[in-house]
Amino acid sequence: MADGAEVTVVGGGVVGLTSSLALAEAGHRVRCVRDVPAAETVSAVAGGLWFPYHVEPRDRVAAWGLTALEWFHSLAEVPAAGVALREGVMVERGTADRWWAAGVEGRREAAPSELPDGATGGVVCRVPLVTMAVHLAWLEDRCRAVGVELVDGRVDDVGDVESAVVVVAAGIRSAELLGDEGPQPSRGQVALLANPGLDRWVVDDDHPDGMVYALPHPGWVVCGGTDVLGSWDLEPDPGVHEAIVARVRSVVPELADAEVLGARVGLRPVAPSVRLQRSEVAGRTVVTNYGHGGAGVTLAWGCAQEVVGLVGGAAAP
C-alpha cells in the first residue's frame, strides 16, 4: 500500500484517535468515524496509568508498551497533552510477577514504610499518568491539525465503508463490525474523590477485600475498582461504590476525608490477545486494532505504530 492511501478509522477512543494521528503523520488521508464522542468512550473512564493490565500476549504487549512509554515521556513536556510522570508503588501480596516492569528505568524495591498492611513487597517506579479528559481533547486537536477528518456517525459493517483501507479500533464494538467473535466486556467501576494534594499513585490488585488503586490527577483521584468479566452493566452500583471508597481510604489515609465526587463505569474490551493484524474483507484492506483489555492507554501508541506499518504494507515491527 503506497503512502497517501485513503483510510477510514472506525472508533474514537484513545486507540482510534492515536491510530488516526499516527496514520495522518505518516502521510495517509484519514477519516475517523466515531459513534460516541471521545468523552463518552471507555477511554474517558480510564485512570490513565501506564500499566499493561488484563491484556495478552505478554511479549507483544511489552514491546508495544515500551514504545508508548517513550512517547508519553516526550508528551510530559507538553502541558496541553495531560501527561505527567508520577512515582507510585505496585503492591505485591505473595508471588511477585514483574514481567511488565522490564524496560522501566529507575524502578526499585518498595520500602516497608511504602507498603500497606499485609503486603509482601512492591515495586516503586515513575511512569506516565494520563488525565484522560485532557488527553483525549488534545488527541482530537492534534488529529485536526494534521488533517484527520473527525466524523460523528455509526459504522455497522466494514463493507459499508467506501475507502479501500479500514482500521477497526472500536473497542468492545469492533468484532460486530466484522461478524467476528470479539472481546468480552469487563466491567470496571471507579469512584472519583477530590484530590487533597496527593501526587503519588498506588495499585494493590490483590488486596484481600478487592482491587484497590488510587490514581491522582489535578483536582481529583480516580479510585478503584472492579473487574467483572461478562457484565454489560453501565450503571454505577451504590454498594460497590461505597466498598471502593472504603477500601481506598483504608490503603491511602490521605483520602480519609476527601470529598466523594461521583462514580463511573466503563467496559474494558478483554480478549485472549490483542487483535492487531491485516486481512482482506469485502474487497478492502482491513487492519484490526482491538482487544486491549485494561491497557488501551498503555498500548495505544505502540499499537498505532504497528498499524502504520500494516497499512503501508510493511512487515509489522
Side-chain angles (χ1 to χ4, degrees):
M1 191 75 59
D3 285 346
E6 291 189 4
V7 183
T8 296
V9 176
V10 182
V14 68
V15 173
L17 289 173
T18 308
S19 296
S20 297
L21 177 58
L23 286 164
E25 289 182 334
H28 297 288
R29 301 182 298 282
V30 183
R31 184 171 177 259
C32 177
V33 181
R34 62 271 183 89
D35 60 342
V36 297
E40 296 179 15
T41 63
V42 65
S43 301
V45 181
L49 182 70
W50 182 95
F51 177 68
Y53 176 73
H54 207 160
V55 64
E56 297 287 346
R58 289 187 174 185
D59 56 344
R60 299 190 75 193
V61 164
W64 292 326
L66 289 178
T67 297
L69 187 62
E70 293 181 10
W71 190 62
F72 282 132
H73 270 268
S74 65
L75 285 185
E77 306 298 323
V78 181
V83 179
L85 300 177
R86 294 194 182 277
E87 187 177 83
V89 58
M90 195 67 62
V91 176
E92 298 166 345
R93 296 176 184 269
T95 304
D97 187 4
R98 300 185 179 182
W99 69 272
W100 60 272
V104 177
E105 296 181 359
R107 66 186 187 279
R108 62 173 175 82
E109 294 290 332
S113 61
E114 296 175 294
L115 297 171
D117 292 343
T120 56
V123 178
V124 173
C125 53
R126 187 169 177 260
V127 295
L129 184 56
V130 185
T131 301
M132 292 309 297
V134 177
H135 189 62
L136 289 169
W138 178 84
L139 279 172
E140 288 185 318
D141 287 344
R142 284 293 305 141
C143 282
R144 292 188 186 97
V146 297
V148 174
E149 181 186 3
L150 298 177
V151 179
D152 296 328
R154 183 180 176 89
V155 175
D156 291 310
D157 190 312
V158 295
D160 297 334
V161 179
E162 293 182 0
S163 62
V165 182
V166 183
V167 175
V168 178
I172 202 71
R173 279 196 65 234
S174 294
E176 70 184 63
L177 304 177
L178 299 161
D180 191 12
E181 181 179 347
Q184 295 295 306
S186 177
R187 183 180 185 277
Q189 180 166 326
V190 300
L192 301 181
L193 273 61
N195 192 343
L198 193 69
D199 62 4
R200 203 164 188 262
W201 55 267
V202 60
V203 174
D204 188 356
D205 273 352
D206 296 322
H207 190 280
D209 295 331
M211 178 192 302
V212 175
Y213 55 84
L215 309 175
H217 298 274
W220 64 87
V221 183
V222 179
C223 301
T226 67
D227 188 358
V228 184
L229 191 63
S231 174
W232 289 89
D233 187 3
L234 283 168
E235 288 298 316
D237 182 307
V240 170
H241 176 68
E242 291 179 6
I244 289 171
V245 172
R247 290 199 304 270
V248 168
R249 285 177 168 168
S250 73
V251 172
V252 186
E254 296 93 331
L255 297 175
D257 298 317
E259 179 186 0
V260 178
L261 302 178
R264 302 188 74 183
V265 173
L267 303 180
R268 305 178 184 94
V270 175
S273 64
V274 175
R275 184 168 180 181
L276 181 47
Q277 61 190 55
R278 171 178 166 158
S279 60
E280 299 299 316
V281 179
R284 56 184 46 78
T285 297
V286 174
V287 174
T288 52
N289 186 16
Y290 62 84
H292 299 85
V297 178
T298 301
L299 304 183
W301 189 252
C303 289
Q305 291 299 301
E306 189 160 327
V307 165
V308 171
L310 292 172
V311 168

